[in-house]
Amino acid sequence: MSPLTCGVSLLSVPIGSELEQCPAEWAESSRGDLAMSTWASYMTNSPTVIVMIGLPARGKTYMSKKLTRYLNWIGVPTKVFNLGVYRREAVRAYKSYDFFRHDNQEAMKIRKQCALVALQDVKAYLTEEGGQIAVFDATNTTRERRDLIQDFVKENSFKVFFVESVCDDPEVIAANILEVKVSSPDYPERHRERVMDDFLKRIECYKVTYQPLDPDNYDKDLSFIKVINVGRRFLVNRVQDYIQSKIVYYLMNIHVHSHSIYLCRHGESNHNVEGRIGGDSELSPRGKQFAHALRSFIEEHQLSDLKVWTSQLRRTIQTAEELRAPYEQWKILNEIDAGVCEEMSYEMIQNTFPEEFALRDQDKYHYRYPGGESYQDLVQRLEPVIMELERQGNVLVVCHQAVMRCLLAYFLDKSAEDLPYMKCPLHTVLKLTPVAYVQTVQTFYGKMSRDSVLIHRRNSYTPLSSHDQVKRPRLYSAGNQPWLPLAPTPSALMPEGRQSCIGSESD
Amino acid sequence: MSGTQRTLTQNPLEKTWVPSLKTRLSQRRGSSVPQFTNSPTMIVMVGLPARGKTYISKKLTRYLNWIGVTTKGINLTPQGFTRDSACAIAALKDVCDYFTRGQGQVVVFDATNTTLERREVIRSFAKENGYKVCYFLGQVKLTSPDYADCDKEEAVADFLKRIDCYKLTYVPLDDDKDRNLSYIKIFNVGSRYLVNQVQDHIQSRIVYYLMNIHVTPRSIYLCRHGESELNLVGRIGGDSGLSTGGAKFASALGAYLRGQCISDLKVWTSHMKRTIQTAEALGVQYEQWKALNEIDAGVCEDMTYEEIQENYPEEFALRDQDKYRYRYPKGESYEDLVQRLEPVIMELERQENVLVICHQAVMRCLLAYFLDKSANELPYLKCPLHTVLKLTPVAYGCKVESVFLNIEAVNTHRDKPVNVDVDREPAEALETVPDHV
């Protein structure tokens, strides 16, 4: 019996002539063989350390966090290691920029010690905790420090990729300081002018010993990207593999201009009313009202240059039509394909495919409908949408429940466990605006929300995103299930307190 | 209230919903793919000749066309050497025509645009017409295919003459003075890139593509799964296992590959049983890609062509009318398939020796990319069972070697019939259906 899972390299396991699909027994193999549960599993087994380089207030932490969020979303376990956090652990009270003077020997000792501790944590994450990428977020401005890191990386057979942020625009730097440094734990009194003054002096300390990457000589064999003046220019050197090229592509597409992304579902559809999932039904009368309300909403908010995107299913298009504005249809925004369960109500699924129904509740993220898709497939499908949302300014995405959950999980950094249970009710618009390092969410409820059918299934909802980045073993095998009735799931396997409810839409 | 809710009608071919009123808003290109380029873009190649510019520009043109961005290469390296700028002006007229009448989106202007003066001509031309410009400086060192068929000595002499002449007037793009221009500089056979002011989606896609291609010699092997149970009975789609013939093919494939002595061969399959069973017989590691799954035939899954004709005669006819854009009800079109396969192509570019075990429609899409086949030809490319296509990049294209592994299999290729009208007779529709059990 050969367990088959998506995108995994198998050892050559001799099998009989039968291939069986089995929702169980994932053979635990050694760390080196336990392939990444991503669709790009041909990524090498060597973990990668991404090393940020740059003077303070150059956007290193911003890029580190965003990149980490993106990589985790596409299924690559990634974690940021911010040296400032270690330093604040070691030196409880920050007094002034004097700590950062390059001739402050005692401070230098402490800072180097912090780096070593952080690197040990990196090692543990990548070798014992199932991490694939560690982002080392620190200034790393001297060759000495970078050589230290390279020795560490070589010792452990990791790959290394440098991301240097270079900026000489004083306005950008001042804006950065105001946005994130004023509220840093280093400055509890938050006195803007004092913070600005101290921080600028801190930067001067680093400038004394700053040795930027030298692509022509000293650093010509390193793999790196230099981001110059907030993405106006990039220098890319020696990209080694798939994940590095994705990182470069991502960094080239993000920008720092203020913009908002509006996410909502189509108006209530006829299938929603009947409690059926999937399909391609039209808007119900209430759904049409929502579309009309959406139009007023947009007009009220005077959104300049708003792009509108829909899927290619009727219900989103009908919603957008009401806006009387140009819109783009994306097939990849279509709702999750429920395969053989398309157009069924949850009751029908429970009656016709009880074991499928149970399996889905066990691992909703990885579960794939027979002949259909999983949330994991959906994430892969939606990646170009995310990339394009990063490039764009103000966008309104009119989509579907499962799709909206995936997009929202990207913006709000939700784990695979939380994603399929995120609340995305009908007739609600979520406005996402980046502030400092996070997304703020404003929720706008349509007037009809009290009356419309409650779509969200009453199921256990995990409120906090799990920080556990270790990938769990898969429960399900690839592809479509052969059309055979399976033995009923023993009740011992049903999660406690779980009850299936009637809802609609692929939940 | 909403007042006049415009009704949506479904385009019968592509199954896309469009408003039935013809207004300014509904005049969309009617493609299933969002259009990102509002202004047409000119990619202008700068640099000395025979440094791989033509290679890059042809490859880029092929890639962009394949993903659905109508692109044309306009080449200005004339046979007889001349620095005459009249040629350039004529070419710019062509560009204008292509963007306006031809509805093109991108032009790759491959010329030796080395003089400042000529670059200025291009820049002002673009500004006048509202076109975007992105300069591309490829310094990829390559043996020039320009000289493939020439006498060696003569070629070298001519080449040196060209270089010398150009060197006198060559002014490279200046990092400082030209900092507001969009440009991409490639150094050292593609190991380093300098990207300046990338403006939009198309430009960032182009940069991503360029970063992933390489010139290391290698071969790509494309084949379908072994003959399946459903193949035998003439049914499309589904997820059946290999027939006896198919299993024989799988072992023959193993023997063939061992004979080829390929170093470091990667093997890719789809998530469907028949490709996985084929790979299993090879006894090596393989990767599964959901993106390599066969085209989704929607309501026609598991049907024979005869059954499709009986149950959905209109659909069957529409498909024959425009097989590339036709989308099965609740299924996919070839156009959708290309979008789905783009990450596969990108990874194939990054990799070296790869064997892709896939399906008929998928293989046609991949083949069309490598052999630069148009959307009209793509759905009719011949990809028979039990035949391996070995693709080896040479010069500006790909050499194809077709190897039939001598295990009999059914034919699954259905040619376009003569009569594609919706009101044709069933016999006319079925005349090109291949034999099956």
Side-chain angles (χ1 to χ4, degrees):
Chain A
M1 190 160 70
S2 170
L4 301 168
T5 57
C6 6
V8 172
S9 233
L10 295 182
L11 298 172
S12 51
V13 174
I15 55 160
S17 53
E18 287 305 308
L19 279 187
E20 284 180 45
Q21 289 187 332
C22 49
E25 278 93 65
W26 167 229
E28 268 278 321
S29 34
S30 69
R31 171 68 183 82
D33 303 322
L34 188 66
M36 307 317 303
S37 53
T38 75
W39 39 272
S41 70
Y42 45 76
M43 276 189 290
T44 75
N45 289 330
S46 308
T48 305
V49 180
I50 298 178
V51 179
M52 306 301 293
I53 303 173
L55 295 171
R58 262 60 177 180
K60 296 186 299 300
T61 302
Y62 174 80
M63 280 194 286
S64 302
K65 287 185 184 240
K66 223 170 141 79
L67 192 53
T68 301
R69 177 162 57 87
Y70 166 70
L71 291 170
N72 277 313
W73 186 76
I74 63 170
V76 183
T78 307
K79 189 167 165 181
V80 180
F81 295 83
N82 177 293
L83 202 51
V85 170
Y86 287 83
R87 189 256 306 157
R88 280 187 276 274
E89 273 281 308
V91 181
R92 291 288 159 165
Y94 173 75
K95 298 217 177 57
S96 79
Y97 74 93
D98 280 324
F99 184 81
F100 292 99
R101 292 172 52 148
H102 71 285
D103 53 1
N104 184 338
Q105 293 222 349
E106 185 168 323
M108 289 297 251
K109 247 190 262 163
I110 296 176
R111 289 160 73 192
K112 181 166 179 188
Q113 189 56 29
C114 286
L116 293 172
V117 171
L119 287 177
Q120 283 312 304
D121 284 353
V122 164
K123 179 177 174 180
Y125 176 65
L126 296 177
T127 52
E128 298 154 28
E129 295 165 29
Q132 178 67 18
I133 302 195
V135 181
F136 191 57
D137 178 18
T139 50
N140 296 317
T141 40
T142 59
R143 279 186 189 159
E144 187 196 333
R145 173 57 57 84
R146 298 197 289 266
D147 288 344
L148 176 102
I149 296 173
Q150 288 205 72
D151 290 338
F152 162 79
V153 151
K154 244 175 235 137
E155 240 172 67
N156 290 287
S157 306
F158 299 149
K159 284 188 176 175
V160 65
F161 186 71
F162 294 92
V163 178
E164 181 174 27
S165 177
V166 175
C167 183
D168 53 20
D169 185 338
E171 276 179 34
V172 172
I173 296 166
N176 284 353
I177 297 175
L178 286 179
E179 184 152 344
V180 293
K181 301 302 180 187
V182 172
S183 53
S184 146
D186 285 342
Y187 301 105
E189 346 79 65
R190 319 258 154 121
H191 185 254
R192 275 168 58 150
E193 266 168 44
R194 178 179 120 66
V195 171
M196 183 68 81
D197 183 65
D198 187 85
F199 209 84
L200 288 172
K201 291 205 178 90
R202 202 202 286 200
I203 297 176
E204 291 303 315
C205 296
Y206 280 96
K207 269 191 188 167
V208 176
T209 51
Y210 183 21
Q211 293 163 300
L213 286 179
D214 175 16
D216 295 315
N217 290 301
Y218 193 83
D219 299 306
K220 67 182 192 306
D221 292 327
L222 297 185
S223 297
F224 65 80
I225 178 172
K226 241 192 227 255
V227 180
I228 300 156
N229 284 331
V230 207
R232 203 157 300 156
R233 180 190 290 207
F234 300 92
L235 180 65
V236 180
N237 201 57
R238 295 193 179 269
V239 165
Q240 297 169 13
D241 62 15
Y242 171 80
I243 203 62
Q244 289 177 18
S245 84
K246 289 288 272 192
I247 289 167
V248 167
Y249 185 47
Y250 183 73
L251 291 175
M252 291 201 310
N253 281 319
I254 61 179
H255 65 77
V256 293
H257 305 126
S258 178
H259 67 133
S260 289
I261 291 165
Y262 298 80
L263 300 181
C264 72
R265 290 166 65 186
H266 52 83
E268 181 191 73
S269 70
N270 290 329
H271 270 22
N272 289 146
V273 175
E274 292 169 34
R276 292 175 180 276
I277 68 173
D280 194 14
S281 56
E282 297 192 66
L283 294 182
S284 69
R286 265 200 299 239
K288 289 180 189 160
Q289 287 177 14
F290 167 71
H292 194 68
L294 189 60
R295 179 177 168 189
S296 318
F297 171 82
I298 293 182
E299 281 167 3
E300 259 168 53
H301 282 244
Q302 295 170 313
L303 302 168
S304 68
D305 265 341
L306 179 74
K307 297 246 163 74
V308 180
W309 295 352
T310 70
S311 69
Q312 287 194 341
L313 296 172
R314 236 188 318 197
R315 48 199 189 277
T316 56
I317 299 170
Q318 278 183 328
T319 308
E321 273 288 314
E322 194 53 34
L323 305 178
R324 303 281 194 261
Y327 58 88
E328 292 282 358
Q329 296 181 18
W330 294 68
K331 185 173 193 277
I332 54 182
L333 283 173
N334 280 8
E335 182 57 313
I336 192 171
D337 184 355
V340 300
C341 300
E342 277 281 318
E343 315 225 42
M344 290 192 172
S345 66
Y346 283 119
E347 217 170 30
M348 286 166 69
I349 302 175
Q350 168 75 59
N351 292 333
T352 328
F353 309 120
E355 64 293 331
E356 289 297 325
F357 203 58
L359 284 175
R360 188 159 203 253
D361 278 346
Q362 283 171 35
D363 187 350
K364 200 171 169 188
Y365 183 76
H366 293 105
Y367 171 81
R368 189 185 279 165
Y369 281 106
E373 294 176 302
S374 63
Y375 271 95
Q376 186 179 39
D377 295 329
L378 205 49
V379 161
Q380 181 190 343
R381 183 171 26 106
L382 287 168
E383 206 242 346
V385 175
I386 288 296
M387 202 61 92
E388 194 52 29
L389 279 172
E390 287 294 347
R391 290 198 55 81
Q392 293 285 345
N394 295 324
V395 185
L396 165 65
V397 184
V398 182
C399 55
H400 305 267
Q401 185 167 244
V403 169
M404 187 163 159
R405 284 171 168 158
C406 293
L407 298 178
L408 205 51
Y410 165 75
F411 287 108
L412 302 184
D413 201 16
K414 296 297 183 187
S415 69
E417 267 144 344
D418 297 340
L419 187 162
Y421 297 101
M422 294 181 74
K423 282 197 166 69
C424 295
L426 285 171
H427 303 179
T428 307
V429 181
L430 295 183
K431 175 182 177 182
L432 303 168
T433 316
V435 172
Y437 299 133
V438 297
Q439 292 284 344
T440 60
V441 188
Q442 274 181 286
T443 315
F444 300 90
Y445 291 98
K447 291 184 292 187
M448 284 72 63
S449 61
R450 270 187 307 267
D451 303 315
S452 70
V453 174
L454 195 67
I455 298 308
H456 182 76
R457 280 176 66 200
R458 290 187 303 282
N459 217 331
S460 61
Y461 173 71
T462 328
L464 295 170
S465 120
S466 142
H467 293 291
D468 174 10
Q469 306 287 16
V470 179
K471 282 296 164 188
R472 303 176 327 161
R474 272 192 200 215
L475 292 179
Y476 302 108
S477 43
N480 311 319
Q481 293 263 347
W483 201 219
L484 302 167
L486 300 172
T489 316
S491 54
L493 288 182
M494 284 291 281
E496 252 182 49
R498 291 279 177 100
Q499 278 176 7
S500 358
C501 307
I502 298 188
S504 55
E505 279 281 347
S506 351
D507 201 339
Chain B
M1 261 312 118
S2 54
T4 43
Q5 183 86 30
R6 283 182 301 192
T7 46
L8 295 179
T9 52
Q10 192 175 46
N11 171 315
L13 184 82
E14 293 170 315
K15 312 296 187 295
T16 45
W17 292 100
V18 286
S20 45
L21 288 177
K22 270 268 176 258
T23 64
R24 183 176 42 92
L25 292 176
S26 62
Q27 257 143 32
R28 200 168 294 107
R29 240 196 69 197
S31 154
S32 53
V33 180
Q35 303 307 305
F36 295 117
T37 47
N38 294 328
S39 338
T41 305
M42 292 177 64
I43 312 273
V44 179
M45 313 287 274
V46 179
L48 298 178
R51 295 279 177 100
K53 268 191 307 88
T54 311
Y55 170 79
I56 299 267
S57 70
K58 281 186 191 271
K59 213 169 150 78
L60 193 55
T61 305
R62 176 160 56 90
Y63 168 70
L64 290 172
N65 276 314
W66 186 77
I67 62 169
V69 178
T70 42
T71 305
K72 181 169 161 175
I74 294 187
N75 198 332
L76 261 200
T77 32
Q79 284 306 93
F81 172 64
T82 167
R83 278 196 298 146
D84 193 66
S85 66
C87 244
I89 305 283
L92 290 180
K93 279 218 179 68
D94 276 350
V95 170
C96 230
D97 273 347
Y98 182 65
F99 283 151
T100 48
R101 275 195 294 256
Q103 301 231 304
Q105 293 165 276
V106 176
V107 160
V108 181
F109 200 71
D110 176 15
T112 320
N113 304 297
T114 52
T115 62
L116 264 181
E117 176 197 309
R118 201 175 309 170
R119 258 184 264 163
E120 186 45 41
V121 166
I122 292 173
R123 200 194 58 77
S124 51
F125 162 80
K127 188 157 176 202
E128 251 169 61
N129 290 284
Y131 303 152
K132 290 184 184 172
V133 186
C134 181
Y135 294 91
F136 178 71
L137 299 88
Q139 290 169 16
V140 182
K141 291 197 207 79
L142 269 188
T143 349
S144 173
D146 291 342
Y147 299 100
D149 300 319
C150 296
D151 170 63
K152 259 237 147 136
E153 262 180 50
E154 192 190 302
V156 170
D158 183 59
F159 176 68
L160 289 176
K161 217 168 40 159
R162 283 165 73 179
I163 294 266
D164 278 341
C165 271
Y166 279 115
K167 260 200 194 150
L168 292 175
T169 51
Y170 176 52
V171 179
L173 279 187
D174 181 65
D175 281 352
D176 199 50
K177 288 197 295 219
D178 295 312
R179 67 175 173 282
N180 289 321
L181 299 181
S182 295
Y183 64 84
I184 304 159
K185 269 193 210 175
I186 292 193
F187 305 80
N188 307 333
V189 207
S191 68
R192 184 188 306 179
Y193 303 84
L194 178 64
V195 179
N196 197 61
Q197 300 271 46
V198 159
Q199 299 170 7
D200 63 9
H201 173 90
I202 276 296
Q203 287 177 29
S204 93
R205 283 289 277 278
I206 289 169
V207 174
Y208 183 47
Y209 179 70
L210 292 174
M211 285 192 319
N212 286 316
I213 62 180
H214 65 78
V215 293
T216 315
R218 49 84 176 249
S219 289
I220 296 168
Y221 297 80
L222 300 181
C223 72
R224 290 166 66 187
H225 53 83
E227 182 191 69
S228 72
E229 301 285 354
L230 286 182
N231 286 148
L232 273 181
V233 294
R235 291 181 178 282
I236 67 172
D239 193 17
S240 58
L242 297 180
S243 66
T244 333
K248 283 204 194 109
F249 164 73
S251 21
L253 182 61
Y256 166 73
L257 292 172
R258 283 187 289 275
Q260 287 277 300
C261 300
I262 310 157
S263 67
D264 237 358
L265 178 73
K266 298 257 160 63
V267 178
W268 296 353
T269 70
S270 70
H271 274 192
M272 295 178 142
K273 204 149 67 159
R274 49 200 189 278
T275 57
I276 296 171
Q277 278 181 331
T278 310
E280 279 287 327
L282 304 178
V284 295
Q285 282 197 325
Y286 57 92
E287 316 280 355
Q288 297 178 25
W289 291 72
K290 187 169 193 275
L292 284 172
N293 279 6
E294 182 56 316
I295 192 172
D296 184 354
V299 299
C300 299
E301 279 280 319
D302 292 296
M303 288 192 172
T304 61
Y305 288 120
E306 290 84 351
E307 284 166 2
I308 300 176
Q309 168 59 36
E310 203 185 303
N311 293 296
Y312 305 104
E314 198 182 296
E315 293 292 328
F316 203 40
L318 284 173
R319 186 158 206 254
D320 285 335
Q321 285 173 24
D322 189 348
K323 199 173 171 189
Y324 183 74
R325 278 172 206 87
Y326 171 80
R327 188 185 278 171
Y328 281 105
K330 304 204 177 154
E332 295 176 302
S333 62
Y334 272 95
E335 193 171 25
D336 295 329
L337 204 50
V338 161
Q339 290 308 311
R340 179 163 43 96
L341 286 169
E342 202 256 348
V344 176
I345 287 295
M346 200 60 93
E347 192 53 24
L348 274 173
E349 285 293 348
R350 289 198 57 82
Q351 292 287 340
E352 295 187 8
N353 294 320
V354 186
L355 163 67
V356 184
I357 304 174
C358 54
H359 307 266
Q360 183 167 247
V362 169
M363 189 163 158
R364 284 170 170 156
C365 291
L366 298 178
L367 202 55
Y369 167 75
F370 288 108
L371 303 184
D372 201 16
K373 296 296 182 186
S374 70
N376 290 330
E377 301 167 279
L378 185 162
Y380 296 102
L381 292 176
K382 282 205 165 64
C383 295
L385 287 167
H386 299 185
T387 307
V388 181
L389 293 185
K390 177 178 174 180
L391 303 168
T392 313
V394 298
Y396 297 135
C398 251
K399 183 176 82 164
V400 191
E401 215 185 292
S402 172
V403 183
F404 173 59
L405 293 191
N406 239 333
I407 313 271
E408 287 308 313
V410 297
N411 174 24
T412 58
H413 185 95
R414 179 176 168 265
D415 273 315
K416 184 170 171 169
V418 171
N419 190 345
V420 298
D421 287 339
V422 169
D423 54 2
R424 62 189 173 178
E425 292 296 321
E428 293 178 290
L430 298 173
E431 69 176 349
T432 53
V433 171
D435 296 328
H436 57 86
V437 165

